[in-house]
Amino acid sequence: MSSFISSYAGKTVVAVGAHPDDVEIGMGGTVARLSEVGANVIMVIVAVPDRLDERLSESAAAASLLGAKLVALEPERCIRVEDLRMHELVRRLDAVMRAHAPAALFTHSSDETHYDHVLVHRGVLSAMRLLRSDLYFYAPSACRPAIRSWQPRVWIDVSSTVDRKMSAIAAHHSQFGRRGICIDHFCEDMRLRGLPVGMAYAEGFDVHCARDA
């Protein structure tokens, strides 16, 4: 959907993930495409649970590969999302919304099995009260292949940016390479997502609200 991408050219787009690597896995190809048309893409990390400096460094490298800027809500300490009371999480997300006034906001789906991802989903929904943004949810994610019933309502062709997405995921060496976890299934997920709609590789999103969706 080139019209989808071009509609955010020159505008600010915020993508929120619970942890380092979540945005890259969920929508790295779309982030790269948005940055190519001049969108100001902000990748937000809510919490870094361990190895703070290393994982923030990996995240900065990944964001650079995708042409995005990185914001960590808790850059000074290791923390889990569930360590934050919901009002604290919403307050931090409110600050992001006020600072960037995004035209579009992307985050986790409600259909996640990871509780931290569900908490972030709820926090983003609450932060939406501050101003009007298009809101999209990327597919549930996991380090290893998993059976999911989730289906998108919007497909984005990422055939031209699939390599950049895979490089951004690989930048999180502490989570994948060091642990011996193969990342090839992320590429296969994009290939299978694109098959029904005639795209070589695609990322899918559910739509909560969008002016032109």
Side-chain angles (χ1 to χ4, degrees), residues 1-16 23 26-43 63-69 102-107 134-136 138 154-162 164-165 203 205 211:
M1 294 182 64
S2 58
S3 61
F4 179 97
I5 296 296
S6 62
S7 68
Y8 297 111
K11 300 178 181 179
T12 296
V13 174
V14 170
V16 183
V23 171
M27 56 175 294
T30 300
V31 169
R33 285 206 57 197
L34 287 165
S35 68
E36 286 176 348
V37 301
N40 175 36
V41 185
I42 312 295
M43 293 171 52
S64 179
L65 286 166
L66 298 176
K69 299 173 184 176
L105 188 60
F106 294 79
T107 195
D134 299 339
L135 178 58
Y136 305 94
Y138 46 80
V154 173
W155 287 259
I156 303 302
D157 190 338
V158 295
S159 304
S160 64
T161 55
V162 61
R164 289 174 66 186
K165 171 173 177 169
E203 290 175 339
F205 301 92
R211 288 181 290 273

Side-chain angles (χ1 to χ4, degrees), residues 47-95:
V48 183
D50 55 14
R51 296 188 296 280
L52 182 68
D53 291 341
E54 180 180 20
R55 297 194 68 181
L56 287 179
S57 177
E58 292 172 343
S59 296
S64 179
L65 286 166
L66 298 176
K69 299 173 184 176
L70 184 71
V71 171
L73 297 190
E74 291 282 347
E76 304 297 332
R77 59 172 178 161
C78 287
I79 190 172
R80 296 184 180 277
V81 177
E82 63 182 355
D83 294 332
L84 294 169
R85 293 181 181 272
M86 182 55 70
H87 72 85
E88 294 173 332
L89 172 59
V90 172
R91 178 170 58 82
R92 286 162 171 78
L93 293 171
D94 283 352

Side-chain angles (χ1 to χ4, degrees), residues 108-169:
H108 297 283
S109 164
S110 61
D111 294 328
E112 292 273 8
T113 56
H114 196 313
Y115 186 53
D116 279 359
H117 295 186
V118 175
L119 290 175
V120 170
H121 169 87
R122 292 175 179 170
V124 169
L125 283 178
S126 183
M128 284 287 293
R129 76 193 186 283
L130 293 179
L131 52 89
R132 183 177 179 183
S133 296
D134 299 339
L135 178 58
Y136 305 94
F137 305 131
Y138 46 80
S141 60
C143 287
R144 294 178 172 85
I147 296 173
R148 307 184 187 98
S149 61
W150 184 90
Q151 290 295 325
R153 289 196 284 163
V154 173
W155 287 259
I156 303 302
D157 190 338
V158 295
S159 304
S160 64
T161 55
V162 61
D163 290 339
R164 289 174 66 186
K165 171 173 177 169
M166 294 304 294
S167 294
I169 295 173

Side-chain angles (χ1 to χ4, degrees), residues 175-193:
Q175 299 305 293
F176 300 105
R178 185 182 301 162
R179 297 163 68 191
I181 298 176
C182 181
I183 64 174
D184 291 350
H185 73 279
F186 295 124
C187 192
E188 181 66 5
D189 285 346
M190 288 183 283
R191 188 187 70 80
L192 293 175
R193 186 76 70 198

